[in-house]
Amino acid sequence: MTNPRQMKLGAFIMGVGHHIAAWLHPSVDPRDLVSLDHYVRIAQAAEAARFDALFFADNVAAPPLSPLSAQAAPVYYLEPLMLLGALVPATERIGLVATVSATYLPPYHLARKFATLDHISGGRAGWNCVTSGSDAEARNFGLDAQIGHAERYERAAEYIHVVKALWDSWDDEALQFDQPGRRFFDPAKVRAINHDGRHFRVRGPLQAGRPIQGHPVIAQAGSSADGIALAAATAELVFTAQQSLDEAVAFANTVRERAVAAGRGREDVLVMPGLMPFVADTQEEAQRLHDDLQALVDPRIAIGLASAMMGADLGQYPLDGPVPDLPPTEGWQSRQKLFFDLAHAEGLTIRELAVRVAVARGHKVVIGTATQIANEMEAWFRAGAADGFNIMPPTLPYGLNDFARLVVPELQRRGLFRTEYEGDTLRANLGLARPAGHTS
């Protein structure tokens, strides 16, 4: 008998919460941003609730420095790979997914770092591949401006090819550990990759043996045309921001169809939209959680965030006027389109759009009881809009704890989410096949 399909859940962890004003909420200790104990407690709570993975986003530039920026918590404060390494001994089964840019870190470094994380975690590593979308990041690496959107994705495709080849440069059985025979590894089962491409030259082999999962799970979050093409060809998890069920279904089907066209199966790619839940025992309590956080938002910071994500200074336009039609930039093109479409569809002013952006940066927000939130998740899951969700707690730790306490049991009661982990590796729990290694 075939097991029923169940949804996957990622715990998308961002400092002390995803809401822009989370650090100001009285339930939050802002010092937790730099506390390892804080992240250990979060990781253990997510694992106790049987989440598939912890997910840490990242970029590689500080926000512009100003008296106003000093009022916002620096959400990308800690380097995620080092943080996940510190969480390995505090956890046993939950996956550990970190964002690292394919634009600024050489592929050999990345392949080695994630192979190491996979080995020391027992096969729980995942890499969210991004291409970096801001000039501020470019200026930290000797460039005057970011590389063009199309070229960034072209580089990323070659980058992923190199990383996979490095992971495969050792056969699974290459390590011998033969003390009597004085044979630590079989040199016939290790090889250089000798990659010489347009963007990268890498000889190899990797210093580390083949990762426990074969390849750490690869995730991507680009929803532009270039991002979808890369995700369909290479990603196993696709993180995305979607507002409506119909749009989410269309996006998921596009990714799956493109995956098939690239020679993969529809089931080889799991689509996981971001979801910010405000959950409580009653609808009124949940709404109050949302409203209390919104009351803490400085409109100037909201306008700044929306401007940064849309690649234009919205403050130069009348704030109570319509969102202007602006050309796409070389930055976050899919998110820019989402915001413009949302503003035009609902007739939002710049001020109204900025307030919406401040909540979840374009991700779906749900407010209600456990039953109401589970209903929404089930509708998206059964319609094919999502294989699961990347849960974005508005505040931490309580936003995650409330979801685990209230919503997870409701999903389990409906048979939509596991009660125990299926395996020991991230791949096993996600239901993803282990990639075959090198064949001579």
Side-chain angles (χ1 to χ4, degrees):
M1 181 177 177
T2 303
N3 291 328
R5 176 171 168 261
Q6 292 185 319
M7 65 178 63
K8 309 302 178 184
L9 291 180
F12 186 173
I13 306 305
M14 186 172 282
V16 292
H18 278 270
H19 194 283
I20 195 172
W23 78 279
L24 295 169
H25 195 270
S27 70
V28 168
D29 182 352
R31 297 171 184 82
D32 281 343
L33 179 70
V34 296
S35 167
L36 178 59
D37 287 344
H38 167 70
Y39 296 104
V40 167
R41 290 191 294 269
I42 288 171
Q44 292 175 339
E47 186 168 70
R50 303 300 186 257
F51 273 71
D52 289 86
L54 299 169
F55 167 56
F56 287 84
D58 195 33
N59 69 21
V60 285
L65 299 178
S66 70
L68 186 60
S69 70
Q71 298 182 32
V75 293
Y76 301 120
Y77 191 78
L78 298 179
E79 195 283 314
L81 263 179
M82 293 190 70
L83 179 56
L84 288 179
L87 295 178
V88 167
T91 55
E92 296 180 355
R93 308 287 283 278
I94 196 166
L96 306 168
V97 182
T99 295
V100 180
S101 174
T103 302
Y104 300 119
L105 185 72
Y108 187 93
H109 279 325
L110 183 135
R112 188 185 185 200
K113 291 175 186 293
F114 276 97
T116 297
L117 182 63
D118 205 54
H119 280 293
I120 66 174
S121 68
R124 295 188 282 138
W127 166 37
N128 180 42
C129 174
V130 299
T131 64
S132 296
S134 72
D135 290 343
E137 292 172 283
R139 293 178 187 126
N140 284 336
F141 296 90
L143 302 176
D144 293 326
Q146 62 188 297
I147 300 169
H149 191 275
E151 184 178 354
R152 290 204 314 271
Y153 278 92
E154 179 188 278
R155 283 171 54 90
E158 184 180 338
Y159 189 107
I160 293 170
H161 173 80
V162 172
V163 167
K164 288 181 175 181
L166 288 167
W167 287 335
D168 290 338
S169 63
W170 290 64
D171 290 352
D172 285 322
E173 64 277 11
L175 291 170
Q176 303 288 299
F177 307 118
D178 180 4
Q179 290 177 319
R182 293 176 176 264
R183 190 178 178 87
F184 200 97
F185 69 93
D186 183 349
K189 297 182 182 298
V190 184
R191 67 203 62 79
I193 68 169
N194 294 317
H195 177 85
D196 188 358
R198 179 180 176 189
H199 301 285
F200 304 104
R201 293 181 63 193
V202 182
R203 182 178 182 275
L206 200 62
Q207 289 162 273
R210 194 162 193 253
I212 290 174
Q213 296 183 97
H215 301 164
V217 173
I218 296 178
Q220 282 167 21
S223 297
S224 65
D226 291 328
I228 290 172
L230 184 64
T234 62
E236 296 161 297
L237 296 180
V238 176
F239 301 142
T240 181
Q242 301 292 331
Q243 284 292 317
S244 76
L245 176 59
D246 288 346
E247 290 172 346
V249 169
F251 173 83
N253 285 337
T254 297
V255 171
R256 294 170 186 136
E257 289 162 5
R258 295 290 296 271
V260 171
R264 307 172 69 201
R266 291 175 65 88
E267 70 284 353
D268 293 337
V269 184
L270 302 176
V271 179
M272 298 179 65
L275 186 75
M276 179 180 282
F278 290 85
V279 61
D281 292 321
T282 68
Q283 169 73 36
E284 292 73 23
E285 290 177 85
Q287 188 66 51
R288 187 161 56 249
L289 289 172
H290 171 272
D291 295 348
D292 286 350
L293 277 169
Q294 288 296 87
L296 296 172
V297 175
D298 185 323
R300 298 171 300 168
I301 293 178
I303 294 292
L305 176 63
S307 295
M309 300 195 74
M310 297 178 73
D313 180 8
L314 299 179
Q316 65 180 311
Y317 300 97
L319 297 186
D320 293 312
V323 176
D325 289 318
L326 298 168
T329 71
E330 292 293 345
W332 298 287
Q333 291 186 0
S334 59
R335 199 62 57 88
Q336 292 163 9
K337 182 178 185 302
L338 184 151
F339 292 148
F340 284 125
D341 289 348
L342 177 65
H344 294 159
E346 299 189 19
L348 301 179
T349 65
I350 290 176
R351 190 189 307 274
E352 290 168 337
L353 177 64
V355 170
R356 294 277 288 273
V357 172
V359 184
R361 304 181 309 284
H363 291 279
K364 179 75 172 174
V365 175
V366 286
I367 305 170
T369 64
T371 297
Q372 290 170 317
I373 289 175
N375 287 345
E376 188 82 3
M377 295 173 70
E378 181 172 6
W380 280 47
F381 179 68
R382 296 206 183 281
D387 296 294
F389 298 89
N390 226 7
I391 302 302
M392 303 167 56
T395 64
L396 287 166
Y398 294 106
L400 178 66
N401 292 344
D402 289 344
F403 183 89
R405 177 176 61 88
L406 296 170
V407 181
V408 168
E410 178 62 20
L411 295 173
Q412 292 170 332
R413 186 186 66 78
R414 301 182 189 199
L416 292 171
F417 188 62
R418 67 167 65 86
T419 56
E420 294 296 338
Y421 285 110
E422 296 84 2
D424 294 327
T425 69
L426 178 55
R427 283 189 176 279
N429 290 320
L430 290 172
L432 295 170
R434 185 178 188 273
H438 175 82
T439 54
S440 301

